[in-house]
Amino acid sequence: MKKLTLLFGTIAMCLALSLNMTAQTKNKGTKEAIDNLKAYPETIDSLVRHVIYLELMADESLFEIELIAGKTLSVDCNRHRLIGSFSEETVQGWGYNYFVFSTENHVASTMMLCPDVAKTDKFISGESVSARYNSRLPIVVYLPKDCELKYRIWTAGELLSVDKE
């Protein structure tokens, strides 16, 4: 019984240490990113600010962020796309970049016949844009009020070589 208690105590201690290290690693990058957020405007031309904080990675050059703007709409079986585009701007005096998504809320779609198919709610994406992975800065995106922001984290694969012919 004493050995079992010692074993569980050791496991709990290791787990607590690993969780604490993970939290410290996240907070270190996030704290700096939170401090850097002060440079960004709260809103631009009635657009809503969206902020993404990234986790600190050992080699951040191996990662990239894909930002995707869109809306959740009730749609049929056709393929739909929100018409709009991203522009990259700079915070004056700071040199920090941010993204602005502009749209007039027009949706393009295919025109297939959808007999007896009920409409479903679906995220309809617009243009996407890539951003550099940097845990020291927040990724700041300004969108119209009725738009949503989603993102993907991409990672580099294995380095491959090409044989001579």
Side-chain angles (χ1 to χ4, degrees), residues 22-154:
T22 303
Q24 287 174 356
T25 303
K26 285 182 182 179
N27 289 339
K28 183 177 179 186
T30 302
K31 170 130 177 49
E32 187 175 359
I34 289 170
D35 290 343
N36 287 326
L37 182 64
K38 295 172 187 170
Y40 295 90
E42 292 276 334
T43 184
I44 297 176
D45 299 329
S46 74
L47 298 175
V48 177
R49 181 173 76 179
H50 298 261
V51 180
I52 301 170
Y53 296 104
L54 301 172
E55 183 178 337
L56 179 65
M57 298 289 190
D59 186 358
E60 294 185 353
S61 68
L62 298 176
F63 298 90
E64 190 171 288
I65 305 299
E66 179 186 13
L67 303 170
I68 306 158
K71 299 171 86 170
T72 300
L73 300 172
S74 181
V75 295
D76 57 17
C77 70
N78 285 288
R79 292 184 178 221
H80 298 80
R81 182 150 182 91
L82 179 65
I83 306 297
S85 61
F86 277 103
S87 62
E88 189 170 359
E89 308 290 332
T90 304
V91 177
Q92 295 300 320
W94 291 87
Y96 297 159
N97 294 340
Y98 62 89
F99 297 92
V100 177
F101 184 73
S102 302
T103 183
E104 293 182 6
N105 293 320
H106 297 295
V107 176
S109 75
T110 58
M111 296 180 63
M112 298 184 300
L113 182 62
C114 302
D116 302 326
V117 176
K119 289 188 175 189
T120 58
D121 288 343
K122 186 175 178 184
F123 179 75
I124 306 301
S125 65
E127 175 185 274
S128 67
V129 67
S130 295
R132 190 172 77 98
Y133 192 106
N134 184 356
S135 63
R136 294 176 298 148
L137 289 174
I139 295 178
V140 179
V141 182
Y142 296 92
L143 301 174
K145 290 179 183 178
D146 57 348
C147 287
E148 301 170 51
L149 179 66
K150 298 192 179 215
Y151 68 100
R152 288 189 186 106
I153 298 176
W154 292 89

Side-chain angles (χ1 to χ4, degrees), residues 3-35:
K3 288 182 181 179
L4 190 59
T5 304
L6 182 60
L7 176 66
F8 282 123
T10 305
I11 291 172
M13 189 177 191
C14 290
L15 183 59
L17 286 173
S18 68
L19 289 175
N20 192 24
M21 289 174 58
T22 303
Q24 287 174 356
T25 303
K26 285 182 182 179
N27 289 339
K28 183 177 179 186
T30 302
K31 170 130 177 49
E32 187 175 359
I34 289 170
D35 290 343

